[in-house]
PDB file of all heavy atoms in Angstrom:
ATOM      1  N   LEU A 234     -43.236 -89.122 -56.819  1.00 75.00           N
ATOM      2  CA  LEU A 234     -42.185 -88.705 -57.727  1.00 75.00           C
ATOM      3  C   LEU A 234     -41.032 -89.707 -57.719  1.00 75.00           C
ATOM      4  O   LEU A 234     -40.581 -90.156 -58.767  1.00 75.00           O
ATOM      5  CB  LEU A 234     -41.680 -87.316 -57.350  1.00 75.00           C
ATOM      6  CG  LEU A 234     -40.469 -86.795 -58.118  1.00 75.00           C
ATOM      7  CD1 LEU A 234     -40.839 -86.562 -59.573  1.00 75.00           C
ATOM      8  CD2 LEU A 234     -39.951 -85.525 -57.493  1.00 75.00           C
ATOM      9  N   SER A 249     -41.270 -83.030 -42.402  1.00 78.00           N
ATOM     10  CA  SER A 249     -42.105 -81.860 -42.541  1.00 78.00           C
ATOM     11  C   SER A 249     -42.131 -81.068 -41.238  1.00 78.00           C
ATOM     12  O   SER A 249     -42.153 -81.648 -40.155  1.00 78.00           O
ATOM     13  CB  SER A 249     -43.533 -82.300 -42.909  1.00 78.00           C
ATOM     14  OG  SER A 249     -44.362 -81.177 -42.996  1.00 78.00           O
ATOM     15  N   VAL A 263     -54.978 -67.336 -56.374  1.00 87.00           N
ATOM     16  CA  VAL A 263     -54.515 -67.218 -57.750  1.00 87.00           C
ATOM     17  C   VAL A 263     -55.519 -66.326 -58.451  1.00 87.00           C
ATOM     18  O   VAL A 263     -56.714 -66.600 -58.422  1.00 87.00           O
ATOM     19  CB  VAL A 263     -54.441 -68.598 -58.445  1.00 87.00           C
ATOM     20  CG1 VAL A 263     -54.062 -68.433 -59.904  1.00 87.00           C
ATOM     21  CG2 VAL A 263     -53.466 -69.513 -57.724  1.00 87.00           C
ATOM     22  N   ILE A 264     -55.047 -65.250 -59.036  1.00 89.00           N
ATOM     23  CA  ILE A 264     -55.955 -64.358 -59.742  1.00 89.00           C
ATOM     24  C   ILE A 264     -55.648 -64.420 -61.239  1.00 89.00           C
ATOM     25  O   ILE A 264     -54.498 -64.341 -61.644  1.00 89.00           O
ATOM     26  CB  ILE A 264     -55.896 -62.911 -59.204  1.00 89.00           C
ATOM     27  CG1 ILE A 264     -54.456 -62.457 -58.941  1.00 89.00           C
ATOM     28  CG2 ILE A 264     -56.701 -62.742 -57.967  1.00 89.00           C
ATOM     29  CD1 ILE A 264     -54.341 -61.051 -58.432  1.00 89.00           C
ATOM     30  N   TYR A 277     -44.347 -67.234 -70.714  1.00 92.00           N
ATOM     31  CA  TYR A 277     -43.085 -66.604 -71.107  1.00 92.00           C
ATOM     32  C   TYR A 277     -43.270 -65.498 -72.142  1.00 92.00           C
ATOM     33  O   TYR A 277     -42.622 -64.466 -72.068  1.00 92.00           O
ATOM     34  CB  TYR A 277     -42.110 -67.670 -71.620  1.00 92.00           C
ATOM     35  CG  TYR A 277     -40.710 -67.150 -71.742  1.00 92.00           C
ATOM     36  CD1 TYR A 277     -39.910 -67.001 -70.609  1.00 92.00           C
ATOM     37  CD2 TYR A 277     -40.187 -66.767 -72.974  1.00 92.00           C
ATOM     38  CE1 TYR A 277     -38.630 -66.499 -70.705  1.00 92.00           C
ATOM     39  CE2 TYR A 277     -38.905 -66.260 -73.076  1.00 92.00           C
ATOM     40  CZ  TYR A 277     -38.124 -66.140 -71.942  1.00 92.00           C
ATOM     41  OH  TYR A 277     -36.862 -65.636 -72.028  1.00 92.00           O
ATOM     42  N   ARG A 280     -45.159 -62.358 -70.121  1.00 94.00           N
ATOM     43  CA  ARG A 280     -44.843 -61.901 -68.765  1.00 94.00           C
ATOM     44  C   ARG A 280     -44.013 -60.629 -68.679  1.00 94.00           C
ATOM     45  O   ARG A 280     -44.028 -59.953 -67.665  1.00 94.00           O
ATOM     46  CB  ARG A 280     -44.187 -63.021 -67.968  1.00 94.00           C
ATOM     47  CG  ARG A 280     -42.797 -63.375 -68.414  1.00 94.00           C
ATOM     48  CD  ARG A 280     -42.315 -64.554 -67.613  1.00 94.00           C
ATOM     49  NE  ARG A 280     -40.892 -64.750 -67.803  1.00 94.00           N
ATOM     50  CZ  ARG A 280     -40.165 -65.514 -67.044  1.00 94.00           C
ATOM     51  NH1 ARG A 280     -40.729 -66.156 -66.038  1.00 94.00           N
ATOM     52  NH2 ARG A 280     -38.888 -65.653 -67.267  1.00 94.00           N
ATOM     53  N   LEU A 286     -47.389 -56.163 -66.891  1.00 97.00           N
ATOM     54  CA  LEU A 286     -46.767 -55.605 -65.684  1.00 97.00           C
ATOM     55  C   LEU A 286     -47.605 -54.472 -65.095  1.00 97.00           C
ATOM     56  O   LEU A 286     -47.706 -54.347 -63.869  1.00 97.00           O
ATOM     57  CB  LEU A 286     -45.347 -55.136 -66.002  1.00 97.00           C
ATOM     58  CG  LEU A 286     -44.393 -56.243 -66.446  1.00 97.00           C
ATOM     59  CD1 LEU A 286     -43.081 -55.659 -66.938  1.00 97.00           C
ATOM     60  CD2 LEU A 286     -44.156 -57.239 -65.332  1.00 97.00           C
ATOM     61  N   ALA A 292     -53.207 -54.621 -59.674  1.00 96.00           N
ATOM     62  CA  ALA A 292     -53.721 -55.667 -58.779  1.00 96.00           C
ATOM     63  C   ALA A 292     -53.037 -55.591 -57.415  1.00 96.00           C
ATOM     64  O   ALA A 292     -53.701 -55.664 -56.374  1.00 96.00           O
ATOM     65  CB  ALA A 292     -53.521 -57.045 -59.406  1.00 96.00           C
ATOM     66  N   ASN A 295     -54.303 -52.653 -55.352  1.00 96.00           N
ATOM     67  CA  ASN A 295     -55.633 -52.944 -54.804  1.00 96.00           C
ATOM     68  C   ASN A 295     -55.545 -53.915 -53.623  1.00 96.00           C
ATOM     69  O   ASN A 295     -56.206 -53.711 -52.601  1.00 96.00           O
ATOM     70  CB  ASN A 295     -56.541 -53.519 -55.880  1.00 96.00           C
ATOM     71  CG  ASN A 295     -57.044 -52.466 -56.841  1.00 96.00           C
ATOM     72  OD1 ASN A 295     -56.783 -51.283 -56.674  1.00 96.00           O
ATOM     73  ND2 ASN A 295     -57.758 -52.892 -57.856  1.00 96.00           N
ATOM     74  N   PRO A 309     -41.245 -66.598 -60.172  1.00 90.00           N
ATOM     75  CA  PRO A 309     -40.617 -67.849 -60.587  1.00 90.00           C
ATOM     76  C   PRO A 309     -39.083 -67.801 -60.617  1.00 90.00           C
ATOM     77  O   PRO A 309     -38.444 -68.835 -60.660  1.00 90.00           O
ATOM     78  CB  PRO A 309     -41.181 -68.090 -61.991  1.00 90.00           C
ATOM     79  CG  PRO A 309     -41.557 -66.745 -62.483  1.00 90.00           C
ATOM     80  CD  PRO A 309     -41.971 -65.967 -61.268  1.00 90.00           C
ATOM     81  N   VAL A 317     -39.840 -57.174 -62.600  1.00 97.00           N
ATOM     82  CA  VAL A 317     -41.105 -56.640 -62.082  1.00 97.00           C
ATOM     83  C   VAL A 317     -40.838 -55.474 -61.140  1.00 97.00           C
ATOM     84  O   VAL A 317     -41.475 -54.423 -61.232  1.00 97.00           O
ATOM     85  CB  VAL A 317     -41.930 -57.743 -61.373  1.00 97.00           C
ATOM     86  CG1 VAL A 317     -43.121 -57.145 -60.633  1.00 97.00           C
ATOM     87  CG2 VAL A 317     -42.387 -58.788 -62.368  1.00 97.00           C
ATOM     88  N   LYS A 335     -44.341 -51.978 -45.746  1.00 94.00           N
ATOM     89  CA  LYS A 335     -42.884 -52.069 -45.887  1.00 94.00           C
ATOM     90  C   LYS A 335     -42.583 -53.188 -46.869  1.00 94.00           C
ATOM     91  O   LYS A 335     -43.195 -54.250 -46.818  1.00 94.00           O
ATOM     92  CB  LYS A 335     -42.239 -52.360 -44.531  1.00 94.00           C
ATOM     93  CG  LYS A 335     -40.752 -52.517 -44.592  1.00 94.00           C
ATOM     94  CD  LYS A 335     -40.077 -51.447 -43.790  1.00 94.00           C
ATOM     95  CE  LYS A 335     -38.589 -51.691 -43.710  1.00 94.00           C
ATOM     96  NZ  LYS A 335     -37.843 -50.970 -44.720  1.00 94.00           N
ATOM     97  N   PHE A 337     -39.943 -55.881 -48.418  1.00 92.00           N
ATOM     98  CA  PHE A 337     -38.718 -56.645 -48.220  1.00 92.00           C
ATOM     99  C   PHE A 337     -38.503 -57.494 -49.462  1.00 92.00           C
ATOM    100  O   PHE A 337     -39.426 -58.164 -49.912  1.00 92.00           O
ATOM    101  CB  PHE A 337     -38.832 -57.572 -46.999  1.00 92.00           C
ATOM    102  CG  PHE A 337     -39.046 -56.842 -45.706  1.00 92.00           C
ATOM    103  CD1 PHE A 337     -40.323 -56.634 -45.227  1.00 92.00           C
ATOM    104  CD2 PHE A 337     -37.968 -56.360 -44.988  1.00 92.00           C
ATOM    105  CE1 PHE A 337     -40.542 -55.964 -44.031  1.00 92.00           C
ATOM    106  CE2 PHE A 337     -38.169 -55.680 -43.793  1.00 92.00           C
ATOM    107  CZ  PHE A 337     -39.460 -55.480 -43.315  1.00 92.00           C
TER     108      PHE A 337
END
Side-chain angles (χ1 to χ4, degrees):
L234 174 67
S249 178
V263 176
I264 43 179
Y277 193 77
R280 70 184 192 166
L286 297 171
N295 284 356
V317 170
K335 178 117 173 95
F337 298 94

